[in-house]
Amino acid sequence: MPTAVAVTSPELVLPSPDRHTPPAAILQSAEPGERGGSLDRTLAEIHTLVEQHGHVLVVHPAAAPPALVHRLHAARAALETDRLALVGVDLPPLGTALLALQLRQLSICDFSPGVLASAARLLAHYLHAGAVLGSVARLDQVPVGLKAHAKSWLPGSQFAVLARPEPQLVRLSGDQDPGLKAPGFPTRLVVAEGGLPAERVTGALARAWHVREVTPTKLPAASADWWGTSKLTEFAAAIPDISVLYQLVSSVRREECHWCGLELIGDRCAFCAAPLPPPGERGRRALPATRPAPGRLRGREPAPALARTAPAPAAAGRALPAARDPRLAPALDTGAAPPGAPQTPAGPTGGPATGVHALRPAQREAPADWGPHRPYEDPHQPPPPPRSRNPRP
């Protein structure tokens, strides 16, 4: 199953340009009103998508209500899953919908979930989003000068605004070209007409930008709040060919996330949000949970457990640090023991004792008041006759 691309509103879903592009998953619990606003429903929807597709990308506007963003993060924390990526997009609503469509197109390719989620930031740089506005008095997404702000109060004033990739604001006059900076590649233009007619965008702007295809769509409800006015015509232009998108993402160097292990492009993992380490530290993974024994660092058997035996004389105590120094480790392989050091007990296989066998002394001297040592002596049986040291032939 391809990686699922989910959105937080049905207005962020554009029609598929072909029959191969999978549909977008709409989080019904993220919609405002009576149908949404429940954390339990959000948990159920995301859990179902993760079980069906393995990995899920939730594309949401960066200017979404804080309650919605907090609910998405709470659902991710409650599910304790690293297969959910929350992709916040700092684009106008129509541009966000067009970016989600591109991610849906690339989801059927052979990209891993980490690369697909990281590609959202890359594709956003090649997306041109703007609008034709009747007023810029309440526009706070693009810098507005004092002169343009004063002219916006004049009747019949219109402005062409480009929000991404570089902010630009031009006052319109007549039917001439708005003069916005055009993309340097063929694009597909999506136009959503609001309170202003769309002829200026579909005519002069489309000819100046050498647009291949113009697709009309419905204006998202969040566009009026984003642009600061309800009299507008929103547009977004992006690369239409999936083969060009594939080559664009494939040409970027891939890295491995040092935290979750997924592939990524760019400087941050979209699933765990871990930043990419500096160039000098890339490729270093965390140390294993269990370290090998010091004697096996160079492929040898473990050194005799001198530190686990009984206390040794002072000379042997000074020789113990040599066992911890890897440069002096070959001296321990010869089997030589320091003068006066106790003998190392043998293990069950004949080699040096380790573990509990090293803690068991090899011999134990009986106190003098115990008398002669007779193993398994029965006090009710007579002692055995003494054996002669010179038996008869």
Side-chain angles (χ1 to χ4, degrees), residues 166-177:
E166 297 179 2
Q168 188 179 0
L169 190 148
V170 178
R171 186 173 183 270
L172 300 178
S173 60
D175 296 336
Q176 62 183 4
D177 177 22

Side-chain angles (χ1 to χ4, degrees), residues 5-369:
V5 178
V7 294
T8 57
S9 174
E11 299 176 347
L12 301 179
V13 180
L14 294 179
S16 302
D18 51 60
R19 58 187 180 90
H20 303 288
T21 303
I26 304 175
L27 298 181
Q28 301 292 341
S29 59
E31 299 181 34
E34 298 179 358
R35 299 175 56 188
S38 174
L39 179 59
D40 296 338
R41 294 192 58 185
T42 304
L43 288 172
E45 290 180 338
I46 294 179
H47 177 72
T48 302
L49 291 175
V50 170
E51 293 296 327
Q52 292 178 353
H53 298 269
H55 292 79
V56 180
L57 311 181
V58 179
V59 180
H60 65 89
L68 171 61
V69 180
H70 294 166
R71 188 162 64 250
L72 293 175
H73 283 275
R76 187 183 187 276
L79 292 176
E80 296 183 353
T81 178
D82 55 354
R83 296 183 293 172
L84 173 64
L86 303 178
V87 182
V89 182
D90 189 15
L91 289 172
L94 192 59
T96 303
L98 191 54
L99 178 61
L101 176 60
Q102 291 182 330
L103 293 176
R104 289 160 51 193
Q105 291 178 298
L106 293 177
S107 64
I108 61 176
C109 301
D110 56 350
F111 293 126
S112 62
V115 173
L116 181 63
S118 303
R121 298 176 59 189
L122 174 66
L123 299 178
H125 290 285
Y126 294 89
L127 197 146
H128 290 61
V132 175
L133 307 177
S135 174
V136 294
R138 300 177 57 187
L139 178 63
D140 56 358
Q141 303 291 342
V142 177
V144 180
L146 181 60
K147 185 177 181 180
H149 182 80
K151 289 184 177 181
S152 64
W153 293 97
L154 298 178
S157 299
Q158 293 185 6
F159 300 85
V161 182
L162 187 65
R164 304 291 184 272
E166 297 179 2
Q168 188 179 0
L169 190 148
V170 178
R171 186 173 183 270
L172 300 178
S173 60
D175 296 336
Q176 62 183 4
D177 177 22
L180 298 179
K181 186 177 180 180
F185 45 86
T187 59
R188 172 196 178 195
L189 187 64
V190 181
V191 182
E193 182 178 348
L196 293 179
E199 285 79 7
R200 188 184 296 272
V201 177
T202 58
L205 181 65
R207 289 191 300 268
W209 283 15
H210 303 285
V211 175
R212 288 185 177 181
E213 178 186 358
V214 177
T215 304
T217 186
K218 183 181 178 182
L219 182 68
S223 297
D225 294 337
W226 203 93
W227 294 104
T229 178
S230 58
K231 295 182 179 181
L232 77 159
T233 296
E234 190 175 3
F235 60 88
I239 302 174
D241 196 349
I242 186 176
S243 61
V244 179
L245 296 177
Y246 181 85
Q247 295 177 3
L248 179 63
V249 178
S250 301
S251 62
V252 183
R253 179 180 177 180
R254 304 183 186 182
E255 301 286 348
E256 183 179 355
C257 180
H258 68 284
W259 184 261
C260 64
L262 292 177
E263 288 184 324
L264 61 95
I265 58 176
D267 58 351
R268 183 175 296 273
C269 180
F271 279 88
C272 65
L276 194 65
E281 300 180 3
R282 295 179 185 177
R284 300 180 183 179
R285 300 298 301 274
L287 293 176
T290 57
R291 297 183 178 180
R296 295 185 181 273
L297 292 178
R298 298 185 182 180
R300 300 187 303 271
E301 292 297 326
L306 297 178
R308 297 183 178 181
T309 56
R318 291 192 297 268
L320 288 180
R324 302 188 182 99
D325 192 351
R327 295 173 297 180
L328 303 179
L332 298 176
D333 295 341
T334 58
Q343 297 294 332
T344 304
T349 57
T354 59
V356 296
H357 301 284
L359 300 178
R360 185 181 303 166
Q363 296 180 357
R364 177 181 298 176
E365 297 182 0
D369 54 351

